[in-house]
Amino acid sequence: MILFALAAAALALAAPATGSVPQDWRIANVVPIFKKGSKSEPGNYRPDVTSVLPEWEDGHFYLAKYYDKLMPMVTENKMEKQGDLIRYIVYHFGRSLQYGNQFIYQSMPRMLSLWLDFGAKAYEWDKAGRADRQQLKSDLMKIHKAITEHKNHLAPYQFLTAFSQLISRICHSHDEVFAVLMEIVAKVFVAYPQQAMWMMTAVSKSSYPMRVNRCKEILDKAIQMKPALGKFIGDATQLTDKLLELCNKPVDGNTGTLSMSVHFRLLKKLVEEPTFSEILIPLQSVMIPTLPATAGKRDHADHDPFPGHWAYIAGFDDVILKKIQDEEFEEKWSLLRCWDRRWMVPGHQGKW
């Protein structure tokens, strides 16, 4: 028994340094040890595993999950307790992501939702003039601090996995929440402008003025961070406008084809200009980020989430909106889709 205990202790101490643990040890049920008082108060628990193994991804994740399970115990009458819980959950979910990605599709969306929803509630309470609104404001500032730390330490590709969620909340009512949200989105945009621009296209053309204005603020922020993006964003915006014109073009039911040179001359001219920016053809293989096979801070910094060849728009075939029957011919062209119409886009610098 003593020999077994010594061997187990040696493995535990070596794990943080080697980055390797036995397979069976990777399955964990992390539960803080309760001391006394209210179980909904995080301070009433003994020091957890993250204080012993601070760089263990699983420890932070399962601790955050445990605190998250306590959320239903906290009612509206105990919002100050909920603020503490959310701060702990946000902190540990973010810390788990610093050391690996095996739980990213659970940790990242939940972390962002808790922060954004709590910020919206703080705004509502402040607007209503509730007596306890200052408590929520104080808690929100602490959560902001945790989110800001994660923004600085997590890799842009990790936030890219939840990019749709982020841009869906750019009309957040709380100005300070939006300020942090804008920094996160702009950071991702600067790192991956080709992917991010396609995702933000629908937002930039929204019929809701506030959404359009917030999108512009984010793009301006990205240009401020990296001035060279100004030309790319301008060209992508022009391309979006022309593609929308193409989509909305009335077509006679008896007409099988249209000519780019005749009906969409400005679009064809735009993309064929020598100075037109390279704009990615948004194929699934280059829009969904891959995750590193191993965990660790250095893996985040060095990871390329979009390996392989990219294909860019080089021009438009002159005849469009013609139903393509030849499957072999289809494979030689990149097909962009817009509702029920198709147009063929010759690509370059990519494989077919």
Side-chain angles (χ1 to χ4, degrees):
M1 180 64 73
I2 294 176
L3 289 175
F4 175 79
L6 290 173
L11 282 171
L13 292 172
T18 63
S20 176
V21 295
Q23 186 64 35
D24 291 344
W25 287 25
R26 300 180 184 181
I27 303 173
N29 183 20
V30 181
V31 179
I33 301 174
F34 177 67
K35 293 188 294 186
K36 62 180 180 178
S38 172
K39 289 187 176 182
S40 64
E41 174 57 57
N44 290 334
Y45 291 82
R46 297 187 185 281
D48 54 74
V49 67
T50 61
S51 62
V52 180
L53 298 173
E55 297 186 3
W56 187 31
E57 175 190 4
D58 298 53
H60 287 287
F61 172 76
Y62 285 109
L63 184 59
K65 290 279 286 185
Y66 180 81
Y67 284 138
D68 205 7
K69 288 182 180 179
L70 297 178
M71 287 287 289
M73 299 171 57
V74 182
T75 64
E76 286 287 324
N77 296 326
K78 297 180 179 178
M79 284 302 295
E80 72 279 0
K81 305 297 183 183
Q82 192 176 93
D84 284 340
L85 275 177
I86 291 175
R87 178 164 57 91
Y88 277 91
I89 296 167
V90 165
Y91 172 78
H92 286 292
F93 272 146
R95 289 283 288 176
S96 74
L97 291 170
Q98 289 186 35
Y99 305 112
N101 291 301
Q102 60 177 323
F103 308 110
I104 191 169
Y105 290 107
Q106 299 177 61
S107 301
M108 182 64 78
R110 183 58 176 161
M111 178 181 76
L112 295 173
S113 292
L114 288 171
W115 164 52
L116 295 167
D117 291 346
F118 191 82
K121 186 177 289 292
Y123 172 82
E124 292 170 2
W125 282 29
D126 188 58
K127 186 177 180 180
R130 291 185 52 155
D132 47 0
R133 64 185 183 277
Q134 291 301 324
Q135 178 64 51
L136 253 69
K137 184 176 181 179
S138 175
D139 290 338
L140 181 60
M141 292 302 102
K142 295 175 183 177
I143 297 171
H144 270 333
K145 182 179 179 182
I147 289 290
T148 300
E149 290 178 357
H150 297 331
K151 172 182 70 71
N152 295 334
H153 290 97
L154 297 181
Y157 79 84
Q158 292 178 293
F159 285 108
L160 186 62
T161 63
F163 199 69
S164 295
Q165 179 185 4
L166 289 167
I167 61 178
S168 72
R169 303 295 295 270
I170 63 173
C171 290
H172 201 285
S173 52
H174 199 292
D175 290 340
E176 293 178 9
V177 171
F178 171 69
V180 178
L181 179 61
M182 177 172 64
E183 291 180 2
I184 295 174
V185 176
K187 175 181 179 178
V188 175
F189 193 99
V190 168
Y192 309 107
Q194 297 285 354
Q195 289 78 12
M197 190 67 205
W198 279 112
M199 295 183 189
M200 294 188 69
T201 295
V203 180
S204 66
K205 300 302 175 184
S206 171
S207 59
Y208 185 32
M210 183 179 182
R211 190 174 296 277
V212 174
N213 292 334
R214 287 286 177 87
C215 184
K216 185 178 184 304
E217 286 186 58
I218 292 171
L219 294 178
D220 288 344
K221 178 70 174 179
I223 294 173
Q224 180 185 345
M225 295 168 65
K226 189 176 181 180
L229 285 174
K231 177 69 166 60
F232 167 77
I233 292 173
D235 287 348
T237 302
Q238 289 186 69
L239 176 63
T240 300
D241 292 337
K242 298 305 177 185
L243 290 178
L244 287 174
E245 290 178 14
L246 183 150
C247 294
N248 295 323
K249 175 75 174 178
V251 179
D252 188 338
N254 297 322
T255 302
T257 61
L258 295 175
S259 170
M260 287 293 296
S261 299
V262 176
H263 299 91
F264 306 102
R265 180 176 55 85
L266 294 180
L267 172 57
K268 184 175 176 63
K269 180 181 178 182
L270 174 68
V271 299
E272 292 178 355
E273 287 183 358
T275 59
F276 186 71
S277 301
E278 287 189 329
I279 296 182
L280 182 72
I281 297 177
L283 305 175
Q284 182 176 350
S285 60
V286 291
M287 293 298 291
I288 300 176
T290 62
L291 302 177
T294 57
K297 288 185 176 180
R298 281 179 293 182
D299 298 304
H300 291 321
D302 300 334
H303 178 60
D304 176 10
F306 301 105
H309 296 278
W310 292 12
Y312 300 92
I313 297 174
F316 288 89
D317 192 36
D318 189 57
V319 179
I320 65 169
L321 301 179
K322 182 177 181 180
K323 189 172 182 180
I324 301 173
Q325 301 291 346
D326 187 350
E327 293 184 0
E328 182 179 353
F329 182 73
E330 276 197 30
E331 293 177 358
K332 296 178 182 178
W333 297 87
S334 295
L335 295 181
L336 292 178
R337 298 178 182 274
C338 183
W339 300 331
D340 61 338
R341 301 180 178 180
R342 299 181 181 183
W343 59 94
M344 296 184 295
V345 185
H348 68 91
Q349 294 185 14
K351 290 185 177 181
W352 306 102

